[in-house]
Amino acid sequence: MLFLLFVVTVIGSVLSGLTGLAGGAVILGGLMLFYAPVEALALHGWIMSVSNGARSLLWWRSVSWRLVALFSLMLIPGAYLGGLAVPFFSPAAVELFLGVLILLLAYDFFPTPRLLSTGSGALLFWGLVCGALSMFAGVVGPLLNPVFDRLGLKREGLVATKSACQLLLHLARITSYGTVVGVDYGRFSFELMLLVGAALLGIALSRPVGRRLSDGQVRSLIRVLLTIIGVKNVAYGSYLLLS
Protein backbone atom coordinates (compact mmCIF):
# COMPACT_ATOMS: atom_id res chain seq x y z
CA MET A 1 0.00 0.00 0.00
CA LEU A 2 2.63 2.54 1.05
CA PHE A 3 4.84 1.69 -1.91
CA LEU A 4 1.96 2.37 -4.31
CA LEU A 5 1.14 5.64 -2.53
CA PHE A 6 4.81 6.63 -2.71
CA VAL A 7 4.89 6.09 -6.49
CA VAL A 8 1.57 7.90 -7.03
CA THR A 9 2.77 10.84 -4.92
CA VAL A 10 6.01 11.12 -6.90
CA ILE A 11 4.06 11.11 -10.19
CA GLY A 12 1.55 13.65 -8.90
CA SER A 13 4.31 15.93 -7.63
CA VAL A 14 6.09 15.76 -10.99
CA LEU A 15 2.85 16.73 -12.76
CA SER A 16 2.31 19.64 -10.38
CA GLY A 17 5.84 20.84 -11.03
CA LEU A 18 5.29 20.67 -14.78
CA THR A 19 1.93 22.41 -14.99
CA GLY A 20 0.81 23.61 -11.54
CA LEU A 21 -2.30 21.50 -12.18
CA ALA A 22 -3.65 17.95 -11.78
CA GLY A 23 -0.88 16.55 -9.57
CA GLY A 24 -2.97 17.08 -6.45
CA ALA A 25 -5.86 15.18 -8.01
CA VAL A 26 -3.58 12.23 -8.81
CA ILE A 27 -2.25 12.13 -5.24
CA LEU A 28 -5.73 12.46 -3.73
CA GLY A 29 -7.00 9.67 -5.95
CA GLY A 30 -4.27 7.40 -4.59
CA LEU A 31 -5.05 8.31 -0.98
CA MET A 32 -8.76 7.70 -1.52
CA LEU A 33 -7.98 4.08 -2.42
CA PHE A 34 -6.76 3.33 1.13
CA TYR A 35 -8.24 5.93 3.51
CA ALA A 36 -11.66 7.24 4.44
CA PRO A 37 -12.51 10.49 2.58
CA VAL A 38 -11.95 12.81 5.56
CA GLU A 39 -8.59 11.17 6.41
CA ALA A 40 -7.50 11.22 2.75
CA LEU A 41 -8.34 14.91 2.42
CA ALA A 42 -6.53 15.78 5.64
CA LEU A 43 -3.36 13.88 4.65
CA HIS A 44 -3.56 15.34 1.16
CA GLY A 45 -3.41 18.82 2.66
CA TRP A 46 -0.06 18.09 4.32
CA ILE A 47 1.47 16.55 1.22
CA MET A 48 0.36 19.39 -1.02
CA SER A 49 1.52 22.01 1.49
CA VAL A 50 5.04 20.62 1.25
CA SER A 51 4.85 20.22 -2.52
CA ASN A 52 3.55 23.73 -3.17
CA GLY A 53 5.81 25.22 -0.53
CA ALA A 54 8.92 23.70 -2.12
CA ARG A 55 7.93 24.97 -5.58
CA SER A 56 7.28 28.44 -4.16
CA LEU A 57 10.77 28.48 -2.61
CA LEU A 58 12.45 27.21 -5.76
CA TRP A 59 10.80 29.84 -7.96
CA TRP A 60 10.11 32.56 -5.40
CA ARG A 61 11.47 35.27 -7.72
CA SER A 62 8.67 34.46 -10.18
CA VAL A 63 5.86 34.65 -7.59
CA SER A 64 3.47 37.62 -7.79
CA TRP A 65 3.12 38.23 -4.05
CA ARG A 66 0.43 40.91 -4.51
CA LEU A 67 -1.85 38.35 -6.16
CA VAL A 68 -1.06 35.80 -3.45
CA ALA A 69 -1.95 38.32 -0.72
CA LEU A 70 -5.32 39.09 -2.33
CA PHE A 71 -6.19 35.43 -2.71
CA SER A 72 -5.21 34.58 0.88
CA LEU A 73 -7.40 37.15 2.65
CA MET A 74 -10.58 35.03 2.57
CA LEU A 75 -9.00 31.57 2.80
CA ILE A 76 -9.29 31.08 6.56
CA PRO A 77 -12.95 32.18 6.79
CA GLY A 78 -13.74 29.88 3.87
CA ALA A 79 -11.93 26.88 5.39
CA TYR A 80 -13.62 27.49 8.75
CA LEU A 81 -17.09 27.54 7.19
CA GLY A 82 -16.28 24.44 5.16
CA GLY A 83 -15.02 22.67 8.29
CA LEU A 84 -18.33 23.32 10.06
CA ALA A 85 -20.16 21.67 7.15
CA VAL A 86 -17.97 18.52 6.97
CA PRO A 87 -20.08 16.41 9.44
CA PHE A 88 -23.16 16.86 7.24
CA PHE A 89 -21.63 15.15 4.18
CA SER A 90 -21.55 11.35 3.84
CA PRO A 91 -18.43 9.52 2.55
CA ALA A 92 -20.44 8.38 -0.49
CA ALA A 93 -21.39 11.95 -1.39
CA VAL A 94 -17.77 13.11 -0.99
CA GLU A 95 -16.50 10.28 -3.22
CA LEU A 96 -19.07 11.08 -5.90
CA PHE A 97 -18.42 14.82 -5.70
CA LEU A 98 -14.67 14.31 -5.99
CA GLY A 99 -15.09 12.02 -8.99
CA VAL A 100 -17.30 14.49 -10.84
CA LEU A 101 -14.95 17.37 -10.00
CA ILE A 102 -11.92 15.44 -11.27
CA LEU A 103 -13.67 14.52 -14.53
CA LEU A 104 -14.69 18.14 -15.06
CA LEU A 105 -11.04 19.06 -14.57
CA ALA A 106 -9.89 16.40 -17.03
CA TYR A 107 -12.11 17.75 -19.81
CA ASP A 108 -11.73 21.50 -19.07
CA PHE A 109 -15.38 22.05 -18.20
CA PHE A 110 -15.13 24.96 -15.80
CA PRO A 111 -17.22 27.79 -17.27
CA THR A 112 -16.68 30.91 -15.17
CA PRO A 113 -18.46 34.28 -15.57
CA ARG A 114 -15.99 36.96 -16.61
CA LEU A 115 -17.05 39.07 -13.60
CA LEU A 116 -15.65 36.33 -11.33
CA SER A 117 -12.50 35.69 -13.33
CA THR A 118 -10.83 39.11 -13.53
CA GLY A 119 -9.54 41.71 -11.09
CA SER A 120 -8.88 41.82 -7.35
CA GLY A 121 -12.47 41.00 -6.45
CA ALA A 122 -12.22 37.71 -8.30
CA LEU A 123 -9.19 36.65 -6.23
CA LEU A 124 -10.99 37.52 -3.00
CA PHE A 125 -14.12 35.63 -4.09
CA TRP A 126 -12.27 32.51 -5.20
CA GLY A 127 -10.16 32.57 -2.04
CA LEU A 128 -13.37 32.23 -0.02
CA VAL A 129 -14.87 29.59 -2.31
CA CYS A 130 -11.69 27.52 -2.60
CA GLY A 131 -11.13 27.66 1.16
CA ALA A 132 -14.60 26.21 1.78
CA LEU A 133 -14.54 23.62 -1.02
CA SER A 134 -11.05 22.41 -0.10
CA MET A 135 -12.56 20.83 3.01
CA PHE A 136 -14.48 18.44 0.78
CA ALA A 137 -12.31 18.29 -2.34
CA GLY A 138 -8.53 18.59 -2.40
CA VAL A 139 -8.54 19.44 -6.11
CA VAL A 140 -9.92 22.98 -6.16
CA GLY A 141 -6.98 24.45 -8.10
CA PRO A 142 -8.85 24.18 -11.43
CA LEU A 143 -11.35 26.75 -10.19
CA LEU A 144 -8.52 29.29 -10.30
CA ASN A 145 -7.62 28.67 -13.93
CA PRO A 146 -10.00 31.25 -15.44
CA VAL A 147 -8.51 33.87 -13.09
CA PHE A 148 -4.86 33.02 -13.69
CA ASP A 149 -5.29 32.63 -17.44
CA ARG A 150 -6.17 36.33 -17.63
CA LEU A 151 -3.22 37.58 -15.56
CA GLY A 152 -0.71 37.44 -18.40
CA LEU A 153 1.87 35.50 -16.39
CA LYS A 154 4.54 33.43 -18.11
CA ARG A 155 4.58 29.65 -17.53
CA GLU A 156 7.06 29.71 -14.63
CA GLY A 157 5.38 32.74 -13.04
CA LEU A 158 1.99 31.07 -13.39
CA VAL A 159 3.15 27.84 -11.74
CA ALA A 160 5.05 29.71 -8.99
CA THR A 161 2.20 32.11 -8.12
CA LYS A 162 -0.42 29.39 -8.20
CA SER A 163 1.80 27.20 -6.01
CA ALA A 164 2.10 29.98 -3.42
CA CYS A 165 -1.68 30.49 -3.43
CA GLN A 166 -2.30 26.79 -3.03
CA LEU A 167 0.29 26.53 -0.25
CA LEU A 168 -1.78 28.96 1.82
CA LEU A 169 -4.98 27.18 0.78
CA HIS A 170 -3.72 23.80 2.01
CA LEU A 171 -2.35 25.30 5.25
CA ALA A 172 -5.79 26.73 5.97
CA ARG A 173 -7.35 23.35 5.21
CA ILE A 174 -5.08 21.26 7.44
CA THR A 175 -5.58 23.77 10.27
CA SER A 176 -9.35 23.49 9.95
CA TYR A 177 -9.21 19.68 9.81
CA GLY A 178 -7.07 19.59 12.93
CA THR A 179 -9.20 22.04 14.93
CA VAL A 180 -12.77 22.21 13.61
CA VAL A 181 -13.04 18.60 12.35
CA GLY A 182 -10.70 17.07 14.96
CA VAL A 183 -8.43 14.88 12.80
CA ASP A 184 -5.50 13.42 14.81
CA TYR A 185 -2.50 13.84 12.50
CA GLY A 186 -0.23 12.02 14.95
CA ARG A 187 -1.83 8.71 13.92
CA PHE A 188 -0.43 9.16 10.43
CA SER A 189 3.07 10.45 11.23
CA PHE A 190 4.93 7.63 9.44
CA GLU A 191 2.76 7.85 6.30
CA LEU A 192 3.17 11.62 6.24
CA MET A 193 6.96 11.47 6.47
CA LEU A 194 7.12 8.91 3.66
CA LEU A 195 4.73 10.76 1.35
CA VAL A 196 6.30 14.15 2.02
CA GLY A 197 9.60 12.61 0.91
CA ALA A 198 7.87 11.35 -2.24
CA ALA A 199 6.51 14.84 -2.93
CA LEU A 200 9.99 16.37 -2.61
CA LEU A 201 11.44 13.70 -4.92
CA GLY A 202 8.75 14.52 -7.49
CA ILE A 203 9.63 18.21 -7.37
CA ALA A 204 13.31 17.40 -7.93
CA LEU A 205 12.38 15.29 -10.96
CA SER A 206 9.92 17.76 -12.48
CA ARG A 207 12.51 20.05 -14.10
CA PRO A 208 14.54 17.38 -15.94
CA VAL A 209 11.32 15.59 -16.94
CA GLY A 210 9.83 18.87 -18.13
CA ARG A 211 12.71 19.42 -20.53
CA ARG A 212 11.93 16.08 -22.22
CA LEU A 213 8.16 16.49 -22.61
CA SER A 214 6.16 18.87 -24.75
CA ASP A 215 3.14 20.72 -23.34
CA GLY A 216 0.89 18.55 -25.50
CA GLN A 217 2.33 15.33 -24.10
CA VAL A 218 1.91 16.56 -20.52
CA ARG A 219 -1.73 17.53 -21.14
CA SER A 220 -2.49 14.12 -22.67
CA LEU A 221 -0.92 12.29 -19.73
CA ILE A 222 -2.84 14.40 -17.22
CA ARG A 223 -6.15 13.73 -18.98
CA VAL A 224 -5.61 9.95 -19.00
CA LEU A 225 -4.66 9.82 -15.31
CA LEU A 226 -7.50 12.07 -14.20
CA THR A 227 -10.06 10.15 -16.24
CA ILE A 228 -9.05 6.87 -14.56
CA ILE A 229 -9.16 8.42 -11.08
CA GLY A 230 -12.42 10.31 -11.70
CA VAL A 231 -14.25 7.28 -13.07
CA LYS A 232 -13.06 5.22 -10.08
CA ASN A 233 -14.38 7.77 -7.59
CA VAL A 234 -17.72 8.18 -9.36
CA ALA A 235 -18.18 4.41 -9.56
CA TYR A 236 -17.26 3.86 -5.92
CA GLY A 237 -19.35 6.78 -4.68
CA SER A 238 -22.35 5.54 -6.66
CA TYR A 239 -21.86 2.03 -5.26
CA LEU A 240 -21.83 3.37 -1.69
CA LEU A 241 -24.97 5.44 -2.28
CA LEU A 242 -26.86 2.48 -3.76
CA SER A 243 -25.69 -0.15 -1.28
Side-chain angles (χ1 to χ4, degrees):
M1 178 190 84
L2 287 177
F3 175 75
L4 178 59
L5 283 177
F6 185 91
V7 173
V8 169
T9 302
V10 170
I11 293 172
S13 188
V14 169
L15 291 174
S16 291
L18 293 173
T19 66
L21 178 67
V26 171
I27 294 170
L28 181 59
L31 289 168
M32 292 287 283
L33 292 173
F34 303 105
Y35 296 98
V38 168
E39 294 175 344
L41 288 163
L43 294 175
H44 179 262
W46 279 100
I47 297 166
M48 296 311 297
S49 292
V50 172
S51 180
N52 284 290
R55 285 198 303 276
S56 300
L57 286 174
L58 283 173
W59 301 313
W60 68 273
R61 292 181 183 275
S62 301
V63 175
S64 174
W65 295 107
R66 184 185 70 84
L67 300 177
V68 173
L70 284 170
F71 176 75
S72 67
L73 286 177
M74 298 302 292
L75 276 178
I76 292 178
Y80 176 77
L81 293 173
L84 293 177
V86 164
F88 300 100
F89 286 79
S90 69
V94 173
E95 283 269 7
L96 192 57
F97 176 76
L98 286 172
V100 171
L101 186 64
I102 290 169
L103 288 172
L104 291 175
L105 162 61
Y107 293 94
D108 302 317
F109 189 69
F110 277 94
T112 307
R114 188 171 183 83
L115 179 64
L116 300 179
S117 60
T118 56
S120 301
L123 287 170
L124 292 171
F125 172 79
W126 287 113
L128 177 67
V129 171
C130 289
L133 288 180
S134 70
M135 298 302 295
F136 310 100
V139 285
V140 297
L143 297 174
L144 297 176
N145 283 0
V147 181
F148 279 84
D149 286 347
R150 292 184 170 92
L151 295 177
L153 298 173
K154 295 182 178 179
R155 180 176 174 181
E156 189 168 291
L158 178 67
V159 172
T161 302
K162 194 174 180 183
S163 294
C165 287
Q166 291 190 107
L167 166 62
L168 297 175
L169 171 66
H170 291 299
L171 287 175
R173 176 155 62 106
I174 61 177
T175 300
S176 187
Y177 266 114
T179 55
V180 181
V181 181
V183 174
D184 180 11
Y185 292 117
R187 291 173 48 215
F188 307 101
S189 56
F190 178 75
E191 291 98 320
L192 282 173
M193 287 190 292
L194 183 69
L195 297 178
V196 162
L200 294 174
L201 175 60
I203 293 165
L205 294 174
S206 63
R207 279 195 168 180
V209 170
R211 287 193 289 266
R212 295 175 178 270
L213 296 176
S214 67
D215 289 346
Q217 289 173 320
V218 171
R219 284 193 295 270
S220 296
L221 177 60
I222 288 171
R223 179 162 290 182
V224 170
L225 290 171
L226 291 183
T227 299
I228 293 171
I229 292 167
V231 169
K232 187 280 300 181
N233 281 0
V234 169
Y236 185 53
S238 300
Y239 168 77
L240 291 177
L241 285 174
L242 296 173
S243 61

